[in-house]
Amino acid sequence: MDIYALVGLFVALILTGLIVVFNLMMRGRWPVFRHLPGYESVHADVGASVEAGTRVHMAFGEGQIIGVGTEAELAGLAALGKIAQAASISDRPPVATTSDGVTSLLAQDVMYSTYRQMRAEERFDHDLGRLAGLGPGGYTAGAMITPREERASATFLIGAMGAEAALIADTGGQRGSVVAAVTDPVGQAAVFATTDNPVLGEELFAAGAYLKVNSFHAASLQAQDVLRWITIAGILLGALGATFLGFFQ
């Protein structure tokens, strides 16, 4: 085993240990994270849609579970479960659109599992997780008409999308609120210019922690913060050490 594999294994063990420790330390208390307006507006938007008898549209984009955008799709599915749970008292549950067949099946499974836990299986419909279209163009066309056809008052873009995210966000914004969290740099620039609540960069992967999916999501975010500080400290100590050694050479 080479040095890089050993370092990777060491970091993985530290991260796992930190997640377990932080999860045990919480004991029902949720940690306080920095202010992110995008995620903070999700709870209010879901509540407003329930009161108004409208839907929430979850747009997952063109990412694939097996392929490009896997991590973004997993973050979106975690968020979908929490949003479906919050909207379970409504007679118009969330609808999820995607360009990947496997992701649409997983979206259906997430919502079915949520409704089964809430003992409301009779309200589940397989069409709630749908394949809106293939490819960027096909998916964009399908996702753009979804808010109008489904009477959606809130649209959440979370996944792998490029510049077409601006079209989906603009259409959703005409009927209600929009929160956008996309991975593509071009897509991030587009939603930053067209939405009030963009979620940028790695903030997308904090969806589970901010939406309070479960304690392991919060513990994972705390563990990553600790590793960042350890990395920063290591870089600074290395720079200082090299500087002092340079004086004695």
Side-chain angles (χ1 to χ4, degrees):
M1 184 177 293
D2 59 25
I3 185 63
Y4 297 106
L6 287 173
V7 171
L9 179 61
F10 181 67
V11 171
L13 290 175
I14 292 179
L15 182 62
T16 302
L18 288 172
I19 291 174
V20 173
V21 169
F22 281 124
N23 188 59
L24 293 174
M25 288 174 60
M26 276 188 278
R27 297 182 180 274
R29 296 175 299 175
W30 204 264
V32 177
F33 300 114
R34 69 186 178 89
H35 178 64
L36 285 181
Y39 288 132
E40 292 174 3
S41 68
V42 169
H43 298 285
D45 293 339
V46 173
S49 70
V50 171
E51 293 178 2
T54 57
R55 291 191 192 276
V56 172
H57 173 210
M58 293 283 295
F60 288 150
E62 303 98 49
Q64 302 173 355
I65 288 298
I66 304 175
V68 178
T70 300
E71 64 287 348
E73 301 306 294
L74 292 176
L77 289 169
L80 174 62
K82 188 65 178 181
I83 290 172
Q85 182 182 17
S88 61
I89 60 174
S90 171
D91 58 353
R92 297 184 64 80
V95 58
T97 60
T98 178
S99 179
D100 178 53
V102 177
T103 304
S104 68
L105 293 175
L106 289 175
Q108 294 173 12
D109 183 68
V110 166
M111 283 190 279
Y112 177 74
S113 299
T114 300
Y115 277 88
R116 185 175 59 187
Q117 292 173 3
M118 304 296 290
R119 298 183 180 179
E121 298 99 318
E122 68 280 357
R123 300 215 298 268
F124 173 73
D125 182 359
H126 285 86
D127 195 42
L128 297 176
R130 65 185 63 169
L131 188 67
L134 298 176
Y139 173 73
T140 301
M144 286 176 65
I145 65 174
T146 299
R148 175 174 53 83
E149 290 187 341
E150 297 295 342
R151 291 175 54 202
S153 62
T155 299
F156 301 143
L157 284 72
I158 180 166
M161 296 184 221
E164 64 275 5
L167 296 173
I168 302 173
D170 182 66
T171 304
Q174 293 174 12
R175 304 191 62 86
S177 59
V178 176
V179 175
V182 298
T183 56
D184 188 273
V186 176
Q188 291 178 15
V191 298
F192 184 80
T194 57
T195 65
D196 293 329
N197 295 311
V199 178
L200 303 176
E202 63 182 8
E203 294 171 354
L204 182 152
F205 306 112
Y210 276 85
L211 298 180
K212 300 183 179 181
V213 174
N214 60 52
S215 59
F216 280 101
H217 284 272
S220 175
L221 196 58
Q222 290 179 296
Q224 292 174 47
D225 287 339
V226 171
L227 285 181
R228 287 191 185 95
W229 284 112
I230 292 175
T231 302
I232 292 171
I235 293 173
L236 292 176
L237 289 174
L240 290 173
T243 301
F244 283 115
L245 287 175
F247 289 139
F248 296 102
Q249 289 181 352

